[in-house]
Amino acid sequence: MIKHDVVIVGSGLAGMRAALEVCEGLDVAILSKVYPSRSHSGAAQGGIAASLGNSEPDSWEEHLYDTVKGGDFLNDQDAAEEYVKAAPRVIYELEHFGCVFSRTPDGKIAQRSFGGHSKPRACFSADRTGHAILHALHEQLLKRSKSIKIYSEWYMHSLVLDGDRCNGIVVSDIRTGAVEVMQARAVIFATGGYGRVFNITSNAFASTADGVMAAYRAGIPIEDAEFVQYHPSGLYRQGILFSEAARGEGGYLLNGEGERFMEKYAPSRMELAPRDIVARAEQSEMDAGRGVDEKDIIHLDLRHLGEARIMERLPQIRQLGIDFIGVDCVKDPLPIQPTAHYSMGGIPTDKFGQVIFDAEGTHVRGFFAAGECSCVSVHGANRLGTNSLLEAVVFGERAGRGALEYVKTVGHAPVNESHEKTKVLEQFEGIFQRDGKESYNDIRKEMKTIMTEKCSVFRDEEQLKVCIDTIKKLQERYKNGKITDKGKLFNTEIYEILELGNMLGMAEIIANGALNRKESRGGHYRTDYPKRDDENFLKHSLTYKTDKGMEIKYKPVVITKHQPAERTY
Ligand SMILES: Cc1cc2nc3c(=O)[nH]c(=O)nc-3n(C[C@H](O)[C@H](O)[C@H](O)COP(=O)(O)OP(=O)(O)OC[C@H]3O[C@@H](n4cnc5c(N)ncnc54)[C@H](O)[C@@H]3O)c2cc1C
């Protein structure tokens, strides 16, 4: 059995920041199924929010209001307040860690506009912000290699829970397929989002809900799973992201008639309204037959910015267009459509990153979560751009500190190694031995397609029922799948099958949550219930696994400074 004081699963911004916080004087491990700096955080382009006020006067109070209004008042405002207050300190800390931010002519950290933010608040490194921060943190991690052991390309299968206490995880080495139990006094999950459940998505291949589903299987509920963010500017058909920074720098959105249609939907904010509103506006234009070439295409037009500005501020976006579709945005508009991008929901935690079981805030002792896999909830029903990198860093730090304090009070608890290991070995053997007729690839494709078609920007009861029914059938077919690679060494196929199992579970939780929430709020829009319904639905949903299937319970929203108001832009 492998033994550490604290084990962190996930090496994106949240996991790395947590590791740096918790490592002093402890034996810490960080585990990632991809090489640490390949985590999806590294793909973040546009920026990280903080009310530094370097371009225009700004304050945490304004940042808080924008965040709560952007989240359609479902945010827990006590957590959101502490988070926006922490932002300026966090930016300077990242800078001191070695992160190179773009500058104003007088040498301050430059800040640009982003959707739903009333002030230019996004600190950025051209359009490679996640890359710059992730590498700065990775270097800090390597500097502490005596106290932090990195398990690169190791896969976490399950949590070891004993009642309300977490005592470790079960893992395997992707290289050899060897299964091990990792005993720990505290575990931190920083496993990221689950956009791969959808066909059109901006997310990396690793964003497959493993952490969230491991928690769910262990009896921990999933909070607000129905809230998925569709980003307005994914590359047509492929979903690859063109950052909102393109609009922050002044890019236009045009329909097939060459109109800047946002005038009709958000006249004061135009292209820089929050993402849920822009994505719905695009979809409405396309549904009305006003897509470019009568297809599901909207144009992102950057030509008026000029080559010099594009090369200074948006070089990666230009290159993505050239590499993937041969379109140079200096000369031509980019074809885009909404793409599944971010999961507002996740493993419920308190504002210190500690995982909670229920509406009363009962703790799971020794279990923490941070970043996109968690739901604090600072974003409510819709996250504003650049608020997620901030969340990962702020709550990564908090979860690390929480774990540090916690392990001062407890030793290692006994773990039944063979019992925990056997469960995973049986799952492996089950897949190897099963000589079913179904193709896992077909099942994956059908799941993604149905989620993008029936559980997307616009939803209704009929479509969601079809979606859930299809997912359930796919879950049955999954039990009759056929693996082709039966070897142990670097068997990536079996890991993809395990990820598919997690995604099929997650897809059902998302669609079921969407069916249950009979209102429209933030990223969740029901055409059959187009209004927000504060009387019945100003509450967080908690989906539990029970013997009879899923059960949804609720948790009140923490409202401090801002009472729910109509959301107009
Ligand atoms: C293309 C793109 C651009 C974005 N741009 C921005 C932006 O400009 N600003 C902003 O604020 N937000 C942005 N976001 C959102 C933001 O990047 C993410 O929400 C954030 O980086 C998530 O960080 P994380 O640490 O929670 O998870 P991730 O960075 O996703 O890391 C997850 C980690 O978990 C590990 N993991 C998962 N499952 C397992 C398992 N079973 N076993 C072992 N390891 C596992 C992975 O290997 C990985 O290391 C963007 C997102 C995308 C997709």
Side-chain angles (χ1 to χ4, degrees):
M1 189 154 61
I2 302 172
K3 200 167 171 176
H4 294 285
D5 290 325
V6 179
V7 173
I8 299 160
V9 186
S11 61
L13 257 52
M16 288 207 198
R17 186 61 193 82
L20 296 178
E21 196 64 19
V22 74
C23 69
E24 295 305 326
L26 291 177
D27 165 16
V28 174
I30 186 164
L31 175 113
S32 170
K33 64 180 177 176
V34 299
Y35 183 74
S37 57
R38 305 287 301 174
S39 302
H40 187 60
S41 291
Q45 302 171 352
I48 175 167
S51 56
L52 301 182
N54 284 353
S55 305
E56 278 180 37
D58 197 3
S59 64
W60 68 260
E61 286 89 345
E62 289 162 280
H63 190 181
L64 176 66
Y65 181 67
D66 292 344
T67 300
V68 171
K69 184 179 174 191
D72 224 345
F73 298 90
L74 195 74
N75 324 50
D76 286 335
Q77 294 181 20
D78 56 341
E81 178 172 332
E82 291 184 25
Y83 148 84
V84 295
K85 277 182 178 165
R89 175 186 60 77
V90 159
I91 300 297
Y92 297 131
E93 185 188 65
L94 289 173
E95 189 196 27
H96 295 170
F97 278 155
C99 176
V100 182
F101 287 110
S102 295
R103 298 279 158 177
T104 62
D106 59 351
K108 291 182 183 158
I109 293 175
Q111 297 192 278
R112 65 177 155 216
S113 299
F114 246 79
H117 290 282
S118 57
K119 297 288 168 65
R121 196 171 281 147
C123 311
F124 57 95
S125 306
D127 56 358
R128 304 187 187 96
T129 313
H131 180 92
I133 302 175
L134 193 70
H135 281 266
L137 293 181
H138 192 211
E139 284 164 12
Q140 294 295 325
L141 210 65
L142 296 175
K143 195 168 128 189
R144 292 162 179 78
S145 57
K146 283 210 176 77
S147 50
I148 305 175
K149 181 167 168 56
I150 300 175
Y151 291 85
S152 175
E153 301 190 87
W154 281 61
Y155 185 91
M156 178 279 305
H157 295 263
S158 55
L159 268 175
V160 179
L161 276 197
D162 184 5
D164 68 347
R165 182 166 169 190
C166 175
N167 297 323
I169 51 176
V170 185
V171 300
S172 64
D173 182 348
I174 295 174
R175 251 163 305 192
T176 61
V179 176
E180 301 276 2
V181 173
M182 259 188 198
Q183 190 185 18
R185 289 150 73 191
V187 172
I188 302 175
F189 270 16
T191 51
Y194 36 79
R196 298 302 297 186
V197 166
F198 295 85
N199 186 23
I200 308 283
T201 178
S202 66
N203 280 200
F205 283 89
S207 302
T208 54
D210 308 343
V212 176
M213 288 307 292
Y216 178 73
R217 283 193 300 272
I220 294 161
I222 307 304
E223 183 171 345
D224 291 343
E226 59 272 30
F227 294 104
V228 174
Q229 176 167 86
Y230 303 92
H231 192 294
S233 49
L235 172 58
Y236 175 57
R237 286 205 161 154
Q238 304 189 43
I240 297 168
L241 195 74
F242 294 126
S243 169
E244 194 168 296
R247 283 171 280 134
E249 293 294 341
Y252 298 152
L253 293 176
L254 306 175
N255 64 15
E257 290 159 16
E259 268 176 323
R260 278 181 77 188
F261 56 87
M262 283 310 298
E263 220 160 22
K264 289 184 281 186
Y265 300 91
S268 71
R269 295 289 297 164
M270 293 293 284
E271 283 87 354
L272 287 178
R275 290 176 181 170
D276 56 333
I277 292 173
V278 182
R280 279 196 292 277
E282 289 182 351
Q283 196 63 50
S284 303
E285 290 296 302
M286 298 185 302
D287 291 349
R290 290 191 292 273
V292 174
D293 297 335
E294 288 166 20
K295 293 196 187 120
D296 275 356
I297 297 180
I298 293 294
H299 268 161
L300 172 62
D301 193 352
L302 307 179
R303 290 172 294 183
H304 55 287
L305 301 181
E307 183 169 359
R309 184 147 183 102
I310 289 174
M311 285 314 290
E312 185 204 332
R313 295 291 180 92
L314 306 165
Q316 185 181 213
I317 287 180
R318 183 181 186 193
Q319 203 56 46
L320 283 173
I322 293 171
D323 289 347
F324 281 91
I325 43 167
V327 172
D328 181 353
C329 64
V330 169
K331 300 190 197 112
D332 294 298
L334 295 163
I336 58 162
Q337 70 178 149
T339 183
H341 181 62
Y342 182 81
S343 28
M344 271 72 78
I347 305 169
T349 71
D350 66 11
K351 57 188 180 179
F352 305 104
Q354 190 157 1
V355 175
I356 49 184
F357 257 128
D358 52 27
E360 287 70 47
T362 311
H363 286 140
V364 185
R365 292 187 300 142
F367 186 32
F368 300 79
E372 196 171 333
C373 72
S374 69
C375 182
V376 183
S377 129
V378 290
H379 306 305
N382 171 60
R383 168 180 75 85
L384 294 187
T386 68
N387 267 354
S388 169
L389 292 182
L390 179 65
E391 178 201 12
V393 182
V394 170
F395 290 99
E397 178 187 344
R398 285 184 158 222
R401 204 180 314 140
L404 184 68
E405 292 303 319
Y406 173 77
V407 298
K408 285 182 189 159
T409 64
V410 293
H412 281 284
V415 168
N416 185 338
E417 185 187 5
S418 75
H419 173 72
E420 296 298 338
K421 208 165 156 171
T422 305
K423 284 191 283 186
V424 172
L425 286 171
E426 281 176 357
Q427 196 187 11
F428 265 134
E429 274 319 297
I431 295 170
F432 279 132
Q433 300 303 332
R434 202 182 294 153
D435 200 19
K437 293 192 173 48
E438 297 287 348
S439 144
Y440 290 112
N441 287 341
D442 289 349
I443 297 171
R444 186 181 302 104
K445 252 188 250 163
E446 288 175 42
M447 169 196 71
K448 287 164 153 294
T449 305
I450 199 80
M451 288 301 283
T452 287
E453 283 177 1
K454 307 277 184 212
C455 187
S456 193
V457 175
F458 292 118
R459 303 161 167 185
D460 66 30
E461 180 170 330
E462 201 186 315
Q463 293 193 31
L464 288 167
K465 282 188 169 157
V466 172
C467 182
I468 294 169
D469 192 44
T470 310
I471 298 291
K472 283 189 170 153
K473 286 185 185 137
L474 293 173
Q475 287 169 345
E476 285 307 309
R477 283 170 57 193
Y478 178 85
K479 293 181 192 156
N480 190 26
K482 184 182 178 67
I483 190 167
T484 51
D485 180 356
K486 301 210 172 177
K488 284 267 153 64
L489 296 184
F490 262 120
N491 186 337
T492 50
E493 188 183 2
I494 193 151
Y495 289 100
E496 285 171 9
I497 293 169
L498 294 173
E499 291 171 341
L500 175 60
N502 287 330
M503 290 195 287
L504 285 168
M506 193 67 228
E508 191 189 349
I509 296 172
I510 297 170
N512 194 53
L515 180 65
N516 181 66
R517 189 173 279 274
K518 297 186 170 61
E519 66 155 354
S520 293
R521 183 187 297 274
H524 168 70
Y525 194 96
R526 290 277 303 255
T527 50
D528 44 355
Y529 298 94
K531 290 255 175 309
R532 193 176 79 195
D533 177 358
D534 286 340
E535 206 169 304
N536 295 305
F537 284 103
L538 183 57
K539 54 192 180 187
H540 299 290
S541 64
L542 295 173
T543 303
Y544 288 83
K545 180 176 189 294
T546 73
D547 294 341
K548 288 182 231 108
M550 283 174 199
E551 187 187 349
I552 296 185
K553 295 183 183 171
Y554 297 97
K555 194 173 91 160
V557 176
V558 181
I559 295 173
T560 55
K561 293 197 161 60
H562 301 295
Q563 289 303 318
E566 200 193 342
R567 189 166 165 253
T568 51
Y569 288 93

